[in-house]
Amino acid sequence: MTKDAFYTEIAQLAKLANEPRIIGSSEGAYLTINGKKVLNFCSSHYLGFATDERIIKAVQLAVKEYGIGTGYRTLAGTHLLHVELEKSLARFKNAEDAIVLTGGYMANLTAVQTIIGKEDIVISDALNHASIIDAVRLSGVKNKLIYKHLDTNDLEEKLKEAKIIAQTKRSDGKFPLILIITDGVFSMDGDLAPLPEIVSLANKYEALTMVDDAHGEGVLGKGGRGIVDHFNLHGQVDIEVGTLSKAFSVMGGFITAKKDLIKVFKQKSRQFLFSNALTIADTAANFEAVKILEESDQHVVKLWDNTKYLKAQFKQLGFDIGQSKSPITPIMLGDEQLSKEFSAKLFEYGVFATPIVFPMVAKDASRIRVIPSASHSKNDIDFGVSQFEKVAKELKVL
Ligand SMILES: *Cc1c(COP(=O)(O)O)cnc(C)c1O
């Protein structure tokens, strides 16, 4: 392709690009978009920490004391705050140790790429997050076995297949490793991985387990300790990946695991070695967020109160809200054009909830994904739901 042809193609692609709404306020219960105040009904700020006064104060103090950025963790960038954050995350998650990276995406890349080689075996849920898919690709592993979403019978079939493959030694003379990877909460439907069954199958077939708890962190389990706590499986999942960008409202990702494994991640992870550390402000914000969660479960309790209230309202009105077991509440509409129109009308009526369409979900499974947060009052939820009802009647959905 010539350079001209390339730029012609790029110009065509650029025409198709969707422009996001531009937010001109903080990410609280309401947002200001183009000067218009709208209910924030679809963000992953589960706990309302994006506007938390204590966290804002902690960031101000830390920046005043320590400045802005640090550097590469292995060179001159490991700050006291990074170490404190890792310690507090390990304690919070009831794990031996933790490593912090600049995102959940980075954490998934680290977790898989560091321990999995070409001749190992990865077994992955069909609906795992894109960052897991990329992590598996990056590892170069040849044997990728995909099991049907949440289907533990199919998982066992794949484990049997893996066991046969694993009888052949790798070129280094060792037997291949088998790693099972799953999302904890699946972000489009809000359904949960059957972790107890996955762990017991992993034990039966001598496989390692990894769970990506991005939407479970700060949401599930005692005081938001995540899916492993929710199922009381402490110490039984080898690798837990978390994000600090959803319930924590900051940015960053982390892995908790056994002490030695974390040491090896810090020694070998390319995302850790060749990419800069989390800034002082992010690190201080995350540290304060963990502190708040360790002191009280009030935010998590409020999130779940709101979740139950919201789901009950939608159900009563006759909306199809899927099978979610988390605050994620898909309002199933099916048709892509209808979902887009529905969302546009909601916006007109003061509610911000974006449509979710192909390729994020299947073509006939378009929806609007509503997520309540601890920053909503019952009145906010009443308002949001009543606007959904209004639009649904106008568009003849109900
Ligand atoms: C959001 C998300 C990520 C990415 O996390 P970032 O911190 O935004 O990089 C990874 N995995 C899952 C399941 C997610 O939902």
Side-chain angles (χ1 to χ4, degrees), residues 121-125 143-148 151-167 176-181 194-210:
I121 303 160
V122 169
I123 307 182
S124 187
D125 185 290
N143 293 304
K144 288 181 252 189
L145 308 177
I146 313 293
Y147 63 95
K148 290 190 201 117
D151 186 336
T152 47
N153 289 327
D154 196 36
L155 170 59
E156 181 152 25
E157 290 309 308
K158 298 301 183 281
L159 278 161
K160 285 178 185 161
E161 233 178 278
K163 263 317 207 204
I164 295 168
I165 299 169
Q167 283 167 4
L177 191 64
I178 304 172
L179 174 67
I180 305 170
I181 313 179
L195 214 49
E197 292 82 357
I198 292 175
V199 165
S200 91
L201 283 171
N203 290 340
K204 183 170 165 192
Y205 291 90
E206 294 178 275
L208 260 63
T209 46
M210 165 173 159

Side-chain angles (χ1 to χ4, degrees), residues 243-262:
T243 178
L244 300 164
S245 71
K246 303 225 163 86
F248 284 74
S249 291
V250 192
M251 73 168 291
F254 64 100
I255 306 169
T256 51
K258 290 193 189 308
K259 227 179 188 49
D260 283 344
L261 186 49
I262 295 297

Side-chain angles (χ1 to χ4, degrees), residues 304-323:
W304 279 100
D305 275 354
N306 282 348
T307 298
K308 281 172 201 146
Y309 185 70
L310 175 133
K311 285 188 199 283
Q313 307 271 86
F314 273 120
K315 244 192 195 148
Q316 201 182 4
L317 288 170
F319 281 100
D320 174 3
I321 61 169
Q323 304 298 323

